[in-house]
Amino acid sequence: MRQISIIFIFSLFTITSFSQSSHNPLLSSDKEAQEKWVDSIYKSMTLHERVGQLYMVQVMSNQNNATKNNIIKLIRDYHIGGLIYSNGGPVRQAKLNNELQSLSKIPLLIGMDAEWGLSMRLDSTYAFPWNMTLGAIKNNKLIEQTGRQIGEHCKRIGVHFNFAPVVDINTNPKNPIIGNRSFGEDRDNVTNKALAFMKGMQSAGVLANAKHFPGHGDTDQDSHHTLPTIAFNAKRIDSIELYPYKKLISKGLSSVMVAHLNVPSLESRDGYPSSLSSHIVTDILKERMDFKGLIFTDALTMKGASNFSETGAIDLAAFIAGNDVMLMSENVSIGMSKLMDAYNKGTITEKRLAHSVKKVLMAKYKVGLNQYKPVGLYGLVSDLDRIEDDVLYEELIENALTITKNDKKLLPFQQLEKKSIAYVALGDDSGAVFFSELKKYGKVHKITSKTLEDLKNKLQPYNTVIFGLHKSNESPWKSYKFSTKEIVWVEEIAKTHQVVLDVFAKPYALSDFQNIDNIESIIISYQNSKITQEKSAQLIFGAIPSKGVLPVSIQPFFKEGEGIFNNTVSRLGYTIPERAGMNSYKLNRIDSIAKIAVDSMMTPGIQILVARKGKVVYNKNFGHHTYAEKNQVSFDDIYDVASLTKIVATLPLLMELVEQGTISLNTKLSDMLPEYKNSNKANITLKSMLSHYARLKPWVPFYFNTLDEDSKRPSAKYYRNSKSEKFNIEVSKNLFLRSDYQDSIQGIIKDSELLNRLRYRYSDLPYYILKKYIERHYGKPLNVLAQEHFYESLGANYTLYNPYHKISNKKIVPTEEDDYYRFQKVHGYVHDMGAAMQNGVGGHAGVFSNANDLAKIMQMYLQKGYYGGKRYLNPETVDKFNTCYYCDDNNRRGIGFDKPQLGESGPTCGCISMTSFGHSGFTGTYAWADPEEEIVYIFLANRTYPRAGKNLLLKENIRTDIQRLIYEAIEDK
């Protein structure tokens, strides 16, 4: 009869537990099959096995053999129900997990504290940002997607329960254990973020866990080392701390972790942790809040429960309180013995034991352990290091970055020509990525100093100072504060300079300031990860908008929810290809072609940049400056761009003049330069000249007539080895041309014969002529005009003529070992002989630059004359010059710009739109923009080193083959 009664009680419990489908988050969609499996397993187990199911033991995949053997013993002999992993790597964990699962009679329920996901990156400990960072994001769809992708990570390595999200309301800035793990201090923000996270993760088939019940947010003690007290009354706790739990439970929360806390208003017994309180666990969580999901204790090894000195007593108390799973027991064997003794004595009823064990089994069925399969190891690394995770990480950071102060609208930086910018790194972690990214946008110098006085002296030349507080990103619990010295430095420099303070740590770091009135702009970047540093620099220069709001208050300066929203100023950003509608794998095929070009000695080195939709998606360097392979090509090395000079120096200045009405496309040469009135070129128009449709000779070897007839070296009639008033045109190192020879060049051009018939013929001569006109009109040299009108405000700080004046040769790529004119290495001096004979400043050649700067200029054209918050040219002006006026005459050229071929062969891959435009250069350079696909492509090389010889880059279609790969990588057509 007793057995019949027990069976009846079991059946009654089973019917009750499985019937409440609207409240029981552990029910699977096939609840009848689940019920049958649970009952079958439960009935087959001994008491020892049933009690073992209540235990989840900590495992580290990098643990020693002795510890591992102890885990194996617990699985084999004590039949524990689950494992919680920490430390070690995902691959090791998956292998170990497969081994341990194979030893268990009933598949193990696997848990993990993967609050920020799993990462296979070398530069990041976590796959996704910390909760404090996520709390700054207004778009909760991104939080839901984060939960889902973290769930996918967990599921891939065999984790069934992720002990996340943390739903603690972080109202105490001094909280040592929650802090960055909380979504913030506002209960609604925390709740909405947690709901979104839970929904996303559980949609991936991984069960969520809300922690730390009833609320760990407002304490300044670490629960790992003591028993923190939450001193609020029950009403306050119900309205704040418990608020997220109510909402999550109503939406299907799978589990709750009960905290290790002293809550006097909810548990009157002194020294009784919340995880051992029947009132907190059973009366409040299970009955009042009607929670039917799985309940975990926090780690039972935590300190401070003074009433439980006897080993195993805590386990028994936790179970009696209403917990289902004993997490990280101090001694499983003793704890289990205590529970079984209590069962045998009737202290624990069969109903109570079945209640928890069957919940564990229900959870195992729901996550698929009824049909357990080992974790597949093939492709595991790639599955945990996915492009979609990188995409989401970037989106999260961009949406989190928060501007809290922006006096005088200093951010984003504009009018770069008026700014002299210094960067000062603070904190104990690296800001190298931040500084490198800043340099992509403007002339920024890093200043280091040991004393305030020295710092003040070094900062005198600068009007704008960026302070970056860089604190460790290794752990959310690392120190985040400014030192007293650093606060003094910021406050003192802010009295005399415009200051941007960028905090790569949690917002509370600002609380130690006494005054922030003199600091113009403050950015909270939350973390010091590589991506955060990159994105924060982009925010400062207006490449991305500011969208974040503070998740916590910063007393006494800012309130939770505050944030200043800024739009972009249309500067190039930097991102991964997928965010611009391109495929990373396909785009990376460019590497192979570039390496072939270098390895086949078509050029010593290459810079390649691809941008789409205003974002640089590919920016790589290959090879070295020379075949001696001493200096690898780097981002800030500059190349002689040769004929790209035509479209990045002369052409924009002419566009301005046309726009101003000073000249028009139909203006004749004789009207621009009166000395041409009686020449054979008098009626040549600007349009025909720049379209290479004016019968002008393609090239005149001006240097040739200045060589000695016998030696074929520079003649003493024209050259000297030292500079003087009469010989002041520096064509190369220690070689100076006669000052009056520039007039001779202009005379030779003016008097030159025209070609015998009108046809397309590429010519440099228009740019000699137009340089003279531009300089005469403005009364300034072309190089100065290009800097003042364009380069300085564009932030094209690596773009200039005659770089040897300002830049070390270590950063300038050489172009040739000249054995026909200058008889020396051409390094830092323009390669083109005609430009060299104009003191290095030609209208057709002479500019040096890097890929990043050229991309800014081409992007300005692509954006119809607008860039960085400034309108350089009107859209109609750009369109006017980007038009093929003589296509019907088999001339593909625009006004100054090259255009795609009209037939089969030409300057592009043939896979590009006819609205595209660009130019190539003799040294191996290439710049092209396509308005229809919003693409900018830059290719820089020094294929002329050590000898110009055959143009193998052109012959082998290297540049255009790469262009073809770019278009094949587009996926959102």
Side-chain angles (χ1 to χ4, degrees):
M1 287 297 295
R2 182 175 180 274
Q3 289 179 335
I4 295 172
S5 298
I6 291 172
I7 293 171
F8 173 76
I9 291 170
F10 286 174
S11 302
L12 179 63
F13 164 74
T14 301
I15 293 169
T16 302
S17 63
F18 278 90
S19 64
Q20 297 175 354
S21 59
S22 60
H23 294 95
N24 194 335
L26 300 177
L27 279 177
S28 68
S29 58
D30 55 342
K31 59 183 180 181
E32 292 181 359
Q34 182 186 33
E35 177 183 358
K36 184 177 180 180
W37 185 84
V38 169
D39 284 346
S40 173
I41 296 296
Y42 187 81
K43 290 174 183 177
S44 71
M45 289 191 291
T46 64
L47 174 62
H48 193 260
E49 290 171 336
R50 291 172 182 174
V51 173
Q53 291 299 300
L54 305 176
Y55 280 83
M56 185 172 273
V57 178
Q58 185 179 34
V59 181
M60 302 179 189
S61 61
N62 60 355
Q63 63 199 353
N64 58 40
N65 286 333
T67 306
K68 178 182 173 182
N69 290 335
N70 182 55
I71 300 297
I72 291 173
K73 181 177 177 61
L74 290 174
I75 293 171
R76 283 178 169 170
D77 298 345
Y78 292 89
H79 313 289
I80 57 173
L83 304 172
I84 174 172
Y85 280 93
S86 59
N87 296 337
V91 176
R92 282 179 297 178
Q93 178 174 319
K95 291 179 179 178
L96 178 62
N97 195 54
N98 286 346
E99 180 184 352
L100 297 180
Q101 284 280 24
S102 70
L103 302 174
S104 183
K105 180 180 177 182
I106 301 169
L108 297 160
L109 189 64
I110 307 300
M112 191 175 183
D113 274 323
E115 295 172 21
W116 307 286
L118 309 167
S119 180
M120 299 299 294
R121 293 187 187 90
L122 296 177
D123 62 341
S124 177
T125 309
Y126 306 107
F128 294 105
W130 302 333
N131 284 4
M132 180 74 78
T133 310
L134 299 181
I137 297 171
K138 293 179 70 66
N139 181 1
N140 285 335
K141 284 292 182 183
L142 291 173
I143 310 304
E144 182 177 338
Q145 187 61 31
T146 303
R148 179 169 182 85
Q149 291 182 209
I150 287 176
E152 291 168 351
H153 285 181
C154 291
K155 191 171 185 178
R156 180 63 182 86
I157 63 167
V159 170
H160 313 116
F161 260 101
N162 185 5
F163 291 104
V166 171
V167 299
D168 296 314
I169 314 295
N170 195 62
T171 50
N172 191 330
K174 296 180 180 180
N175 195 316
I177 196 62
I178 303 301
N180 277 316
R181 301 168 71 197
S182 169
F183 290 117
E185 71 181 46
D186 178 76
R187 69 173 195 175
D188 290 310
N189 183 46
V190 170
T191 300
N192 292 334
K193 293 286 187 300
L195 273 172
F197 187 98
M198 179 193 82
K199 180 180 178 183
M201 189 163 63
Q202 294 194 163
S203 72
V206 172
L207 304 184
N209 177 274
K211 61 185 185 185
H212 307 84
F213 188 87
H216 204 316
D218 202 333
T219 176
D220 58 5
Q221 295 177 303
D222 187 341
S223 57
H224 292 89
H225 307 299
T226 187
L227 182 63
T229 295
I230 301 297
F232 302 114
N233 61 39
K235 184 178 180 181
R236 144 70 196 244
I237 292 173
D238 184 70
S239 64
I240 301 296
E241 276 74 15
L242 295 183
Y243 183 82
Y245 293 96
K246 297 174 187 177
K247 298 290 186 181
L248 268 65
I249 288 170
S250 70
K251 298 295 183 182
L253 174 66
S254 297
S255 71
V256 166
M257 179 185 287
V258 183
H260 181 70
L261 295 170
N262 178 40
V263 191
S265 64
L266 303 182
E267 173 53 65
S268 59
R269 290 172 291 182
D270 184 46
Y272 245 80
S274 49
S275 56
L276 309 184
S277 168
S278 295
H279 180 62
I280 291 173
V281 179
T282 297
D283 296 347
I284 295 176
L285 179 58
K286 297 175 76 170
E287 295 182 4
R288 188 192 308 169
M289 300 178 73
D290 196 26
F291 182 59
K292 299 293 191 296
L294 209 55
I295 301 174
F296 294 82
T297 67
D298 206 337
L300 293 178
T301 52
M302 289 183 175
K303 310 301 181 184
S306 57
N307 294 318
F308 297 90
S309 57
E310 184 182 354
T311 302
I314 287 180
D315 300 35
L316 178 58
F319 187 73
I320 290 173
N323 295 283
D324 300 308
V325 180
M326 310 302 109
L327 194 64
M328 296 166 59
S329 170
E330 185 177 13
N331 191 308
V332 173
S333 62
I334 295 177
M336 285 180 63
S337 178
K338 293 281 186 183
L339 278 128
M340 286 188 288
D341 285 347
Y343 178 87
N344 290 327
K345 292 175 181 178
T347 306
I348 296 175
T349 66
E350 172 58 32
K351 179 180 178 180
R352 171 68 189 91
L353 180 63
H355 173 75
S356 287
V357 174
K358 287 196 173 186
K359 283 169 72 175
V360 171
L361 294 175
M362 289 173 70
K364 289 188 175 186
Y365 185 95
K366 185 160 186 175
V367 298
L369 286 173
N370 59 308
Q371 296 177 326
Y372 165 75
K373 294 180 181 179
V375 176
L377 300 179
Y378 179 77
L380 180 60
V381 172
S382 59
D383 289 344
L384 295 177
D385 188 19
R386 307 174 302 179
I387 289 295
E388 54 262 48
D389 298 323
D390 296 333
V391 168
L392 181 57
Y393 193 104
E394 279 200 6
E395 283 192 86
L396 293 170
I397 295 300
E398 286 185 11
N399 278 269
L401 297 176
T402 306
I403 298 176
T404 60
K405 192 169 190 273
N406 196 25
D407 293 352
K408 301 176 184 176
K409 297 184 177 180
L410 178 60
L411 298 175
F413 285 170
Q414 298 184 63
Q415 295 182 304
L416 298 184
E417 70 276 15
K418 296 181 180 180
K419 291 194 182 301
S420 48
I421 306 169
Y423 159 66
V424 179
L426 307 175
D428 54 13
D429 203 13
S430 173
V433 174
F434 182 56
F435 178 49
S436 177
E437 199 77 1
L438 290 172
K439 290 196 296 179
K440 292 179 181 179
Y441 289 98
K443 191 178 293 182
V444 182
H445 296 121
K446 183 177 182 179
I447 304 299
T448 59
S449 183
K450 292 184 178 180
T451 68
L452 178 58
E453 285 306 309
D454 182 54
L455 181 65
K456 286 181 176 179
N457 290 333
K458 289 180 177 179
L459 290 177
Q460 283 183 358
Y462 303 93
N463 57 30
T464 305
V465 180
I466 300 170
F467 283 101
L469 176 68
H470 301 280
K471 304 297 287 186
S472 176
N473 199 61
E474 290 182 0
S475 162
W477 299 284
K478 289 279 188 176
S479 170
Y480 63 92
K481 292 193 171 189
F482 287 88
S483 69
T484 301
K485 182 185 80 169
E486 288 169 341
I487 290 174
V488 171
W489 281 20
V490 173
E491 291 178 340
E492 286 299 309
I493 299 304
K495 293 176 182 178
T496 56
H497 294 72
Q498 287 187 326
V499 164
V500 175
L501 178 58
D502 201 333
V503 179
F504 294 91
K506 58 186 171 185
Y508 296 134
L510 285 175
S511 299
D512 290 332
F513 276 79
Q514 297 298 310
N515 189 303
I516 61 169
D517 290 346
N518 292 324
I519 303 173
E520 276 77 13
S521 297
I522 297 175
I523 302 168
I524 306 297
S525 293
Y526 300 99
Q527 298 183 226
N528 199 41
S529 69
K530 173 180 179 291
I531 299 299
T532 307
Q533 291 188 50
E534 290 173 347
K535 294 302 176 183
S536 198
Q538 293 175 35
L539 178 73
I540 288 172
F541 282 91
I544 60 173
S546 57
K547 300 177 181 179
V549 297
L550 284 174
V552 294
S553 298
I554 308 173
Q555 299 297 342
F557 307 117
F558 306 109
K559 294 179 181 179
E560 181 275 334
E562 290 184 348
I564 297 170
F565 306 131
N566 275 350
N567 292 321
T568 71
V569 292
S570 297
R571 283 199 179 98
L572 279 171
Y574 300 83
T575 190
I576 57 179
E578 279 69 15
R579 295 192 67 202
M582 302 187 79
N583 182 295
S584 294
Y585 173 78
K586 291 180 179 179
L587 203 57
N588 284 336
R589 292 186 297 174
I590 292 172
D591 295 14
S592 298
I593 295 181
K595 289 173 183 176
I596 288 171
V598 171
D599 293 344
S600 302
M601 300 183 74
M602 299 180 195
T603 179
I606 303 171
Q607 282 183 359
I608 302 174
L609 181 147
V610 179
R612 187 164 191 247
K613 297 183 177 180
K615 304 293 182 183
V616 175
V617 296
Y618 183 99
N619 190 9
K620 295 185 181 181
N621 310 304
F622 301 89
H624 298 77
H625 287 201
T626 70
Y627 293 118
E629 298 188 353
K630 290 183 178 180
N631 296 317
Q632 285 188 327
V633 178
S634 64
F635 154 82
D636 54 355
D637 291 335
I638 62 172
Y639 282 81
D640 180 337
V641 303
S643 283
L644 298 189
T645 300
K646 295 177 173 72
I647 65 168
V648 302
T650 306
L651 195 63
L653 290 166
L654 288 170
M655 289 171 138
E656 278 188 329
L657 292 170
V658 169
E659 196 167 275
Q660 294 164 8
T662 305
I663 53 176
S664 74
L665 296 185
N666 294 318
T667 299
K668 296 178 180 179
L669 186 50
S670 58
D671 294 326
M672 287 187 280
L673 296 170
E675 57 265 39
Y676 277 85
K677 279 186 178 179
N678 297 317
S679 75
N680 58 0
K681 302 171 184 65
N683 293 320
I684 293 176
T685 63
L686 182 65
K687 180 169 74 173
S688 61
M689 259 197 300
L690 293 179
S691 299
H692 301 284
Y693 201 58
R695 295 174 58 200
L696 294 173
K697 285 186 175 181
W699 181 63
V700 175
F702 300 108
Y703 79 97
F704 193 76
N705 290 331
T706 66
L707 301 180
D708 182 83
E709 288 186 8
D710 297 325
S711 67
K712 303 302 180 184
R713 288 177 174 268
S715 168
K717 177 181 178 182
Y718 297 103
Y719 295 94
R720 293 290 186 273
N721 292 328
S722 59
K723 188 175 183 179
S724 66
E725 184 176 348
K726 187 175 180 181
F727 293 84
N728 65 4
I729 298 174
E730 192 170 5
V731 297
S732 62
K733 189 175 182 179
N734 300 325
L735 188 61
F736 297 87
L737 176 65
R738 275 173 50 168
S739 309
D740 59 1
Y741 201 78
Q742 292 198 66
D743 293 334
S744 299
I745 290 174
Q746 290 294 331
I748 292 169
I749 294 172
K750 181 173 70 72
D751 297 334
S752 64
E753 295 294 325
L754 296 175
L755 299 178
N756 55 15
R757 64 186 180 91
L758 180 62
R759 58 191 172 107
Y760 164 61
R761 196 70 184 272
Y762 181 77
S763 174
D764 284 341
L765 299 188
Y767 291 88
Y768 286 83
I769 299 168
L770 292 169
K771 178 204 171 191
K772 182 176 183 180
Y773 167 73
I774 292 168
E775 292 184 336
R776 181 180 292 179
H777 175 80
Y778 283 107
K780 290 182 178 181
L782 183 66
N783 58 320
V784 173
L785 292 168
Q787 288 289 340
E788 291 179 348
H789 288 228
F790 292 95
Y791 304 157
E792 289 176 357
S793 57
L794 279 166
N797 299 301
Y798 297 91
T799 306
L800 71 169
Y801 284 90
N802 291 323
Y804 64 90
H805 286 307
K806 295 183 177 181
I807 297 175
S808 166
N809 269 2
K810 292 180 180 180
K811 303 306 296 178
I812 305 172
V813 179
T815 47
E816 191 173 20
E817 295 286 351
D818 184 339
D819 60 359
Y820 53 87
Y821 172 34
R822 288 158 283 193
F823 294 90
Q824 59 182 268
K825 179 190 285 188
V826 181
H827 194 184
Y829 294 82
V830 62
H831 176 265
D832 183 271
M833 296 75 75
M837 298 173 79
Q838 298 176 77
N839 222 14
V841 183
H844 67 295
V847 168
F848 287 71
S849 188
N850 67 355
N852 194 62
D853 271 11
L854 290 175
K856 295 174 186 179
I857 298 170
M858 296 304 288
Q859 188 68 27
M860 181 270 290
Y861 284 138
L862 200 62
Q863 293 171 179
K864 299 295 181 74
Y866 183 82
Y867 189 86
K870 179 177 179 179
R871 167 113 353 241
Y872 291 88
L873 301 164
N874 290 326
E876 54 269 24
T877 305
V878 177
D879 289 341
K880 185 182 293 185
F881 278 72
N882 183 29
T883 297
C884 176
Y885 292 94
Y886 301 104
C887 275
D888 291 342
D889 299 304
N890 201 31
N891 179 351
R892 69 174 187 261
R893 294 275 176 166
I895 308 299
F897 293 118
D898 201 355
K899 300 282 289 174
Q901 55 264 40
L902 299 176
E904 292 187 2
S905 63
T908 76
C909 59
C911 54
I912 196 166
S913 79
M914 294 305 293
T915 60
S916 68
F917 57 92
H919 216 284
S920 59
F922 184 78
T923 52
T925 58
Y926 189 85
W928 210 273
D930 183 355
E932 293 189 20
E933 290 293 351
E934 299 180 76
I935 282 179
V936 167
Y937 165 42
I938 309 294
F939 181 104
L940 298 183
N942 57 330
R943 67 98 193 163
T944 50
Y945 192 89
R947 300 284 184 272
K950 294 180 180 179
N951 190 343
L952 295 178
L953 287 177
L954 182 63
K955 181 181 179 182
E956 299 297 328
N957 300 317
I958 295 297
R959 294 172 296 188
T960 53
D961 280 352
I962 287 174
Q963 190 175 55
R964 186 181 303 281
L965 293 181
I966 293 168
Y967 279 77
E968 289 176 359
I970 298 173
E971 294 199 325
D972 62 355
K973 293 181 180 179

